[in-house]
Amino acid sequence: GENVEQHPSTLSVQEGDSAVIKCTYSDSASNYFPWYKQELGKGPQLIIDIRSNVGEKKDQRIAVTLNKTAKHFSLHITETQPEDSAVYFCAASISFGNEKLTFGTGTRLTIIP
Amino acid sequence: DVKVTQSSRYLVKRTGEKVFLECVQDMDHENMFWYRQDPGLGLRLIYFSYDVKMKEKGDIPEGYSVSREKKERFSLILESASTNQTSMYLCASSRPPGSDQPQHFGDGTRLSIL
């Protein structure tokens, strides 16, 4: 089955700097890659996603890049703000919203004011 | 907005008890999921259901069962709770593939088995 590895497990960034979280996946059939943000006491919320026919997608300060050949994808947050502090999860699946999303182990991002 | 509601935020039960975790969604989603979340392990899929009375095993179904009698409700059952089932449990729902809708999560139930 699919295996998703996520790094780093913790990340501290000065406010205003950029943060990058990286994930690799094992199943070349995977074609959908969402990123979720989980704030304290809340469930994960989708912040951005990308499909395999696209190499990059941007939404304001957040961007995701995908390299299908290398089987890795990354989350980039620019101009970080204190409210970006949270746990971030990457995931992969072989079809959009399908029965099996395989998640990475999470990255705890702390923004230092 | 999609709302996935888990009936309890915190639950404390004893070893050997039968435990029910309830989840309700209000967006008429076909798919529903149960995950458990443990530090350093991320989210792992326990069971999912793509229709009423249908269920599929996820990656870690041992010690759990599920029930989906109505489209909006998906229950996770611990038949005989054990301490290694102490965890955060998350429910999610979505439309089927091709509908361009992601999985939406509830806020979780933190379950402690003593």
Side-chain angles (χ1 to χ4, degrees):
Chain A
E2 174 68 281
N3 182 51
V4 176
E5 294 191 0
Q6 182 172 347
H7 300 281
S9 56
T10 61
L11 180 61
S12 293
V13 171
Q14 208 71 38
E15 183 179 352
D17 287 352
S18 296
V20 181
I21 302 171
K22 298 182 179 182
C23 290
T24 60
Y25 62 99
S26 61
D27 190 342
S28 57
S30 290
N31 60 8
Y32 172 65
F33 308 92
W35 284 89
Y36 283 83
K37 175 184 181 182
Q38 186 177 28
E39 296 175 336
L40 198 61
K42 300 279 189 183
Q45 298 244 322
L46 180 78
I47 54 171
I48 196 167
D49 55 13
I50 192 167
R51 303 191 197 194
S52 59
N53 57 348
V54 174
E56 184 173 0
K57 184 176 178 181
K58 206 170 179 182
D59 182 4
Q60 298 182 336
R61 297 186 296 108
I62 293 172
V64 58
T65 58
L66 171 65
N67 183 328
K68 282 224 76 176
T69 305
K71 290 192 278 190
H72 67 70
F73 55 113
S74 301
L75 177 71
H76 304 252
I77 307 173
T78 58
E79 300 172 12
T80 53
Q81 300 168 4
E83 53 265 36
D84 295 329
S85 293
V87 179
Y88 292 80
F89 292 96
C90 62
S93 80
I94 61 171
S95 66
F96 184 93
N98 90 325
E99 297 84 1
K100 284 180 73 86
L101 265 180
T102 301
F103 283 83
T105 50
T107 297
R108 182 174 298 279
L109 174 64
T110 303
I111 307 302
I112 304 164
Chain B
D1 262 1
V2 176
K3 188 112 174 106
V4 178
T5 303
Q6 295 184 232
S7 54
S8 304
R9 292 300 304 271
Y10 301 94
L11 210 52
V12 179
K13 297 290 181 181
R14 296 215 171 266
T15 305
E17 277 193 70
K18 191 168 186 177
V19 181
F20 293 85
L21 303 184
E22 306 287 345
C23 174
V24 176
Q25 49 94 3
D26 66 356
M27 286 302 292
D28 201 36
H29 282 172
E30 287 80 1
N31 295 345
M32 295 190 75
F33 311 82
W34 275 106
Y35 295 87
R36 66 178 279 177
Q37 181 178 7
D38 299 288
L41 297 177
L43 281 71
R44 293 178 293 164
L45 183 64
I46 305 171
Y47 266 97
F48 62 95
S49 166
Y50 49 86
D51 202 352
V52 175
K53 297 193 186 294
M54 306 299 285
K55 60 184 180 183
E56 294 280 343
K57 291 181 180 179
D59 298 318
I60 52 164
E62 297 80 17
Y64 304 94
S65 62
V66 290
S67 171
R68 190 148 180 220
E69 297 295 321
K70 293 185 178 181
K71 191 175 186 180
E72 67 271 17
R73 186 180 296 270
F74 192 34
S75 302
L76 180 70
I77 303 158
L78 285 65
E79 296 289 344
S80 178
S82 64
T83 54
N84 63 11
Q85 293 178 309
T86 291
S87 185
M88 170 70 86
Y89 290 87
L90 290 162
C91 175
S93 72
S94 76
R95 294 226 179 265
S99 60
D100 206 22
Q101 292 283 326
Q103 289 188 25
H104 295 267
F105 284 83
D107 286 335
T109 296
R110 187 165 292 282
L111 175 65
S112 296
I113 307 296
L114 305 179

